[in-house]
Amino acid sequence: MSDVAVLGAGMHPWGKWGRSFVEYGTAAARAALADAGIGWQDVRSVVGADTVRGGYPGYVAGATFAQALGWQGARVTSVYAACASGAQAVDTARAQILAGMAEVVLVVGADSAPKGFFAPAGGERPDDPDWLRFRLLGATNPVYFGLYARRRMTLHGDTLDDFAQVKVKNAAAGALNPNARYRAAVSAGQVASSPVVADPLRLLDICATSDGGAALVLSSMEYARRHGAGDPVRIRAVSTVTPTYPRTLLDLPDIATDSAVAVDPPALGFRESIARAAYEEAGLGPEDLSLAEVYDLSTALELQWYEDLGLCGPGEGAKLLREGATALGGRIPVNASGGLASFGEAVPAQAIAQVCELTWQLRGTAGERQVAGARAGMTANQGLFGHGSAVVAVR
């Protein structure tokens, strides 16, 4: 048995609050503990997803949250994996539970994000590829998003309206989510009339940077039964794979691809391999999913995730969207939470927030955005420096 139980899920609403990430994470942790029906003293391990923008405390997030909640002797771990930090924190907690190191683990991630796009860590850093792509190319994240969008338009015939409809879909879901930052419907016309940021993408095609926090209380299945949770949501798989050489598709933060002259490219691209590893561990396939939460840094990238998760064939992402399959009420809703389009990025928290959404959906407590009969869901995102992230949860 490799399942672990999700006893509690909690969030601090996303926005631009101008306060410390510690406040957001602590609020989310207390909400998760209350949801689990257990006390802070029952937690034997805290795994914190780090923020590199929150000053020194961000580098020791596990201990930061443990101190904020009140020292009580629990072991702590801090994890940094860029946008995959939250999923790696979940994976670390799961490993501790399955190894018998702790029966109950609190996972927390939170961030206080800057205004505008994310910049690399400060100082002269010529050995840092993230710093180099800013210094040498001036390539902000939206530049890459625009390149991906142009690639899809060229290879698959995606249109600007296809991209806009992703925003329309996610804004409609986010309007139903009390934790979302943006809670208003958006029309395709509003997307089309918003300023161009990185051609062909406009402002409403690209996610914002946000403050927010999310937390989970995970436990062994035996503890869950003793606690009276006879049929909890269970985490069945976590994928944190890395790319396979050679990488023939340009990806953040790199400014060049690997050469494929001497070695054939792998059969699966990086994002496809993230999902494949999660499916294999869970013993499930795309056809078994009730919903998915994916990292829609841009509208075009969400369409790519449809294909990478095997929800449709290569080049068929826009077709799946046009059919309404990925909207609430569709065959396989994607980003029923509203996604980053409605939340914005709070990097260490987002992958944890994705699992919170799966938890509420699988419990049947997601309110107006509830996916009917949800039994299995997958999260997916990708972090800088080759960090993959996918979590499969079941009920």
Side-chain angles (χ1 to χ4, degrees):
M1 174 64 72
S2 61
D3 288 358
V4 298
V6 182
L7 289 187
M11 293 177 64
H12 182 289
W14 260 237
K16 280 286 188 182
W17 309 111
R19 300 193 292 272
S20 167
F21 77 96
V22 183
E23 181 176 333
Y24 311 141
T26 303
R30 288 177 175 146
L33 289 167
D35 186 46
I38 67 172
W40 163 232
Q41 295 293 333
D42 298 317
V43 173
R44 301 318 309 148
S45 178
V46 180
V47 183
D50 290 0
T51 168
V52 299
R53 285 172 295 279
Y56 175 72
Y59 291 95
V60 287
T64 302
F65 294 128
Q67 182 180 27
L69 290 164
W71 295 125
Q72 45 87 315
R75 69 169 64 236
V76 295
T77 309
S78 296
V79 174
Y80 180 71
C83 293
S85 296
Q88 286 207 8
V90 169
D91 197 31
T92 299
R94 181 181 71 146
Q96 291 180 355
I97 292 167
L98 295 178
M101 297 167 64
E103 280 197 302
V104 183
V105 182
L106 174 67
V107 181
V108 191
D111 206 359
S112 298
K115 183 178 180 180
F117 56 76
F118 291 128
E124 297 291 310
R125 304 170 61 84
D127 57 345
D128 179 352
D130 199 31
W131 181 89
L132 284 172
R133 55 112 171 180
F134 277 83
R135 174 61 65 90
L136 297 180
L137 299 181
T140 63
N141 291 8
V143 169
Y144 280 83
F145 306 158
L147 289 172
Y148 274 119
R150 279 290 172 198
R151 184 176 188 272
R152 288 199 60 84
M153 294 172 78
T154 299
L155 291 180
H156 306 311
D158 292 6
T159 67
L160 297 181
D161 187 61
D162 290 328
F163 301 152
Q165 292 301 332
V166 174
K167 175 68 174 185
V168 171
K169 171 185 73 70
N170 288 349
L176 305 175
N177 192 334
N179 288 309
R181 175 179 176 182
Y182 301 105
R183 300 192 59 201
V186 172
S187 69
Q190 287 176 293
V191 179
S193 62
S194 64
V196 174
V197 174
D199 183 72
L201 298 179
R202 297 179 176 272
L203 183 64
L204 294 183
D205 283 304
I206 297 170
C207 75
T209 59
S210 291
D211 297 357
L216 296 163
V217 176
L218 306 181
S219 79
S220 67
M221 295 301 297
E222 175 58 30
Y223 181 93
R225 283 189 287 269
R226 294 201 313 269
H227 189 63
D231 183 28
V233 172
R234 304 182 300 282
I235 291 177
R236 180 151 291 175
V238 183
S239 169
T240 58
V241 299
T242 53
T244 301
Y245 179 87
R247 296 188 73 181
T248 56
L249 180 63
L250 191 65
D251 215 347
L252 280 170
D254 299 323
I255 57 179
T257 63
D258 297 326
S259 173
V261 172
V263 181
D264 289 334
L268 292 177
F270 177 37
R271 282 187 294 270
E272 293 172 291
S273 71
I274 298 170
R276 175 68 64 85
Y279 286 134
E280 289 179 351
E281 182 180 342
L284 301 175
E287 68 280 0
D288 298 308
L289 297 182
S290 305
L291 73 157
E293 289 285 311
V294 304
Y295 221 47
D296 57 316
L297 296 163
S298 79
T299 52
L301 283 174
E302 175 167 323
L303 296 179
Q304 185 65 46
W305 278 116
Y306 297 173
E307 299 163 25
D308 295 331
L309 267 58
L311 306 182
C312 60
E316 295 178 352
K319 179 176 180 289
L320 195 69
L321 174 78
R322 294 169 195 155
E323 294 170 348
T326 59
L328 287 174
R331 174 174 62 82
I332 175 68
V334 176
N335 285 336
S337 67
L340 295 185
S342 300
F343 278 73
E345 274 197 286
V347 171
Q350 201 70 47
I352 300 171
Q354 289 179 323
V355 180
C356 288
E357 180 66 18
L358 292 192
T359 299
W360 294 322
Q361 290 285 353
L362 296 175
R363 286 177 178 173
T365 59
E368 293 181 273
R369 65 184 191 281
Q370 179 65 50
V371 175
R375 302 298 298 175
M378 174 183 276
T379 72
N381 71 52
Q382 173 190 357
L384 290 180
F385 318 113
H387 290 118
S389 162
V391 178
V392 175
V394 299
R395 183 79 184 268

